[in-house]
Amino acid sequence: MTLVGFVLMSYVFFFFFFLSVGRCQLQTGFYASSCPNAESIVKSEVSKATQQDSRLPASLIRLHFHDCFVQGCDASVLLDDTSSFTGEKTAGPNNNSLRGFEVIDTIKASLESSCKGVVSCADILAIAARDSSVITGGPSWDVRLGRRDSTTASLSGANSQIPSPAFTVNQLISAFTAKGLSAEDMFTLSGAHTIGQAKCSSFSGRLFNNSGSGQPDPSIRPGFLKSLQSACPQGGDATALQPLDVATATTFDNQYYSNLLLGRGLLNSDQVLSTTVGTARNFVKAYSSDQSKFFSNFAGSMINMGNISPLTTPNGIIRSNCRVPS
Ligand code: HEM
């Protein structure tokens, strides 16, 4: 081969090599050599923090969801507002509602001291979500890793792309398909509401004057309605909390779906899955009678959600402080 031929071949090789690296998919074991203890560090911090606060696993799973639905899974949700930067924390669905930021800080600090500048905040969110499922009794899965962190956030995206609890089934499906997820992913991931809490303001519209009808939502079972009305009276504390799963609030199981069949869903967006005739209701029935089917589908749908538009090399950065875009 001539020298010119060799140089040309090398260019072609490196062009395709970098193209393929740039497009590279997330992978399990991504930190196996660069930070072998990464996953065990996250797990032990999630476990320590859960001993202090039993709600924390729910809050961490939700953080990953709100991260992935806005600009992809890039840790944009963790960025703090400053005088020159607007993050997502003040968006309607996030403000005074998202929790767990301090635990992410603790995990990041621990990772930085073991392997400086290696593990992204976006990957921490994905690993912590898996560990949160496991610690509450839910399924485990191998987390695909290699996400990098954004230097930007989108307040308008957080306001418009995270589904509302007032949505109908069709609106919920559209919000998920807009992110490349399926209707089935939506039915399945809604099952994360088997743990965690919601403020009265997230569902009080259903209790007294549903959609301006002057009546409560008729799909709420009478005894459950009474207890919600007394927990969240009109003019009462809108920040008071109720469990999303009235039966087993801190255990990750399939009880959420059984609740729906009994008219005991807390949010409108939960209850409509069983009251709207169609595929959603079929899934609710199937999951309520088959926990292992719910668990294996949940693991698959969490992987799908974690794959939404990740930043991979050469894009994005590894933040040293998850709150700061540098
Ligand atoms: C299908 C559309 C969804 C809607 C409309 C929705 C809406 C909500 C709302 C309104 C709350 C209560 C917030 C508050 O009152 O402060 C909540 C809590 C929660 N959501 Fe969702 N959500 C949806 C899907 C998801 C998904 C896909 C996940 C995760 C995979 C998830 C995980 C959670 C968890 C675990 C909590 C409890 C958080 C805590 O206790 O800190 N949600 N959700």
Side-chain angles (χ1 to χ4, degrees):
M1 190 188 297
T2 65
L3 184 62
V4 176
F6 177 75
V7 170
L8 261 177
M9 283 283 288
S10 310
Y11 270 120
V12 170
F13 173 79
F14 282 109
F15 177 77
F16 282 106
F17 176 75
F18 284 112
L19 197 71
S20 74
V21 168
R23 279 192 187 160
C24 94
Q25 288 301 302
L26 303 177
Q27 53 192 243
T28 57
F30 183 81
Y31 297 112
S33 56
S34 57
C35 190
N37 295 328
E39 293 191 50
S40 60
I41 290 171
V42 177
K43 185 177 173 188
S44 104
E45 294 297 343
V46 169
S47 160
K48 265 193 259 172
T50 303
Q51 282 164 23
Q52 309 296 315
D53 172 9
S54 63
R55 185 183 170 192
L56 186 78
S59 306
L60 292 177
I61 291 180
R62 186 167 185 237
L63 266 187
H64 184 44
F65 163 47
H66 284 215
D67 179 31
C68 293
F69 265 55
V70 182
Q71 299 190 157
C73 311
D74 60 358
S76 56
V77 72
L78 301 178
L79 293 169
D80 277 347
D81 282 16
T82 66
S83 55
S84 58
F85 186 90
T86 305
E88 296 164 11
K89 290 183 176 176
T90 61
N94 295 343
N95 202 17
N96 299 319
S97 182
L98 283 186
R99 311 170 68 248
F101 297 111
E102 297 75 16
V103 176
I104 300 296
D105 293 339
T106 308
I107 297 171
K108 179 64 179 175
S110 177
L111 286 166
E112 286 297 293
S113 73
S114 290
C115 343
K116 200 170 160 43
V118 173
V119 182
S120 68
C121 301
D123 277 347
I124 294 174
L125 288 173
I127 302 168
R130 186 268 317 272
D131 294 344
S132 295
S133 168
V134 173
I135 208 167
T136 49
S140 187
W141 57 92
D142 290 333
V143 184
R144 274 73 162 162
L145 298 168
R147 298 169 192 80
R148 291 166 64 83
D149 300 325
S150 68
T151 52
T152 63
S154 174
L155 178 63
S156 62
N159 275 317
S160 60
Q161 292 163 27
I162 295 170
S164 154
F167 274 5
T168 63
V169 172
N170 282 339
Q171 289 172 316
L172 293 167
I173 293 174
S174 301
F176 276 65
T177 50
K179 297 292 156 193
L181 299 181
S182 66
E184 182 178 332
D185 287 320
M186 190 275 283
F187 311 144
T188 309
L189 291 172
S190 294
H193 291 173
T194 175
I195 52 172
Q197 310 269 324
K199 290 177 300 192
C200 292
S201 57
S202 296
F203 56 87
S204 54
R206 307 177 67 210
L207 305 181
F208 301 98
N209 184 15
N210 191 46
S211 317
S213 66
Q215 298 296 320
D217 181 340
S219 61
I220 311 176
R221 188 190 184 88
F224 187 49
L225 174 66
K226 236 177 146 190
S227 82
L228 290 180
Q229 285 176 330
S230 90
C232 303
Q234 280 175 303
D237 177 3
T239 65
L241 296 170
Q242 282 294 296
L244 283 157
D245 172 350
V246 62
T248 55
T250 52
T251 307
F252 198 111
D253 55 18
N254 64 341
Q255 184 65 46
Y256 164 84
Y257 294 100
S258 307
N259 294 340
L260 299 184
L261 292 174
L262 296 169
R264 296 168 130 231
L266 188 65
L267 306 177
N268 172 74
S269 53
D270 296 324
Q271 193 59 61
V272 291
L273 299 181
S274 85
T275 48
T276 310
V277 177
T279 327
R281 185 172 168 78
N282 295 338
F283 270 88
V284 170
K285 283 187 187 159
Y287 288 156
S288 74
S289 64
D290 188 347
Q291 178 161 284
S292 55
K293 183 182 166 97
F294 166 50
F295 276 18
S296 67
N297 287 3
F298 187 81
S301 290
M302 285 296 283
I303 292 170
N304 294 342
M305 187 174 87
N307 282 340
I308 300 175
S309 311
L311 294 170
T312 51
T313 310
N315 300 310
I317 61 169
I318 304 295
R319 290 183 209 143
S320 53
N321 174 343
C322 292
R323 296 172 182 266
V324 181
S326 58

